[in-house]
Amino acid sequence: LGETVLPVLAKQALQRGDNCLQLWSAGCAGGEEPYSLALLWHRRVYPLWPGVGLQILATDSDPRNLERAAAACYSPASLKDLPAEWREMAFRRRNREYCLLPAYRSAVVFGCQDLRSRMPARRFDLILCRNLVFTYCSTAFQQQLLAELHLGLCPRGALVIISSEAL
């Protein structure tokens, strides 16, 4: 994402006259995914594309997940795959957890939303729908949602699923 996808999307946004990428993390759970995107953007992509901003919509159907995500505090085990330099730069230790600094949280907006009932009413450059619909839902619903996700993507946008999922 950081080496290819986000830079290409940033270039495309500028070419169409947009100065902000729109990303959606569907089924964001505790916020690890959208915050990882924000960190990746700040550390790898923004220095190459400083004229492009970032907005991330992070949705989940469980209000408890969204409360945990909004707090942005994680156990050391949750951050084990994060480069140590990023952890030191972007988090502050509070008791037994690491809490993400506000500068890295500002691009992320959380919303309670169930994909089975409705989709966000806007288009996105990147949609992350990992370990959710294409893992746990019926084939008929997967096909319906895939069509809706396609409509929700900007032209030449990207959909990210996990490698074990099939469309």
Side-chain angles (χ1 to χ4, degrees):
L1 282 173
E3 292 177 17
T4 306
V5 176
L6 289 173
V8 166
L9 293 174
K11 181 179 179 180
Q12 288 175 189
L14 286 177
Q15 288 173 340
R16 69 174 182 258
D18 290 338
N19 62 355
C20 189
L21 283 180
Q22 301 291 323
L23 282 56
W24 176 26
S25 173
C28 70
E32 293 90 339
E33 181 176 84
Y35 289 138
S36 294
L37 275 174
L39 282 169
L40 181 62
W41 178 262
H42 282 282
R43 296 295 296 169
R44 294 235 175 107
V45 184
Y46 183 75
L48 302 173
W49 297 94
V52 181
L54 182 71
Q55 291 183 335
I56 303 170
L57 174 62
T59 60
D60 200 276
S61 63
D62 186 341
R64 291 171 298 187
N65 280 343
L66 295 171
E67 286 177 26
R68 189 170 68 103
C73 293
Y74 301 97
S75 70
S78 292
L79 305 178
K80 70 181 179 347
D81 293 328
L82 194 66
E85 174 189 338
W86 290 22
R87 188 175 50 247
E88 292 168 16
M89 176 254 338
F91 291 84
R92 291 298 170 258
R93 185 136 185 154
R94 185 169 61 185
N95 300 322
R96 295 181 180 192
E97 295 182 311
Y98 288 90
C99 298
L100 188 62
L101 294 173
Y104 301 99
R105 297 166 61 172
S106 62
V108 182
V109 174
F110 292 98
C112 192
Q113 187 163 28
D114 189 333
L115 292 178
R116 294 171 293 187
S117 58
R118 66 181 174 90
M119 302 278 289
R122 64 183 202 224
R123 297 184 89 184
F124 298 93
D125 297 288
L126 175 71
I127 298 174
L128 290 103
C129 190
R130 301 171 56 248
N131 202 26
L132 186 65
V133 173
F134 303 105
T135 299
Y136 298 108
C137 296
S138 70
T139 301
F141 181 71
Q142 290 176 12
Q143 291 173 343
Q144 173 191 342
L145 186 71
L146 184 59
E148 292 181 35
L149 291 172
H150 183 261
L151 292 173
L153 277 173
C154 291
R156 297 172 43 199
L159 171 64
V160 176
I161 61 174
I162 61 174
S163 60
S164 62
E165 295 174 320
L167 301 179

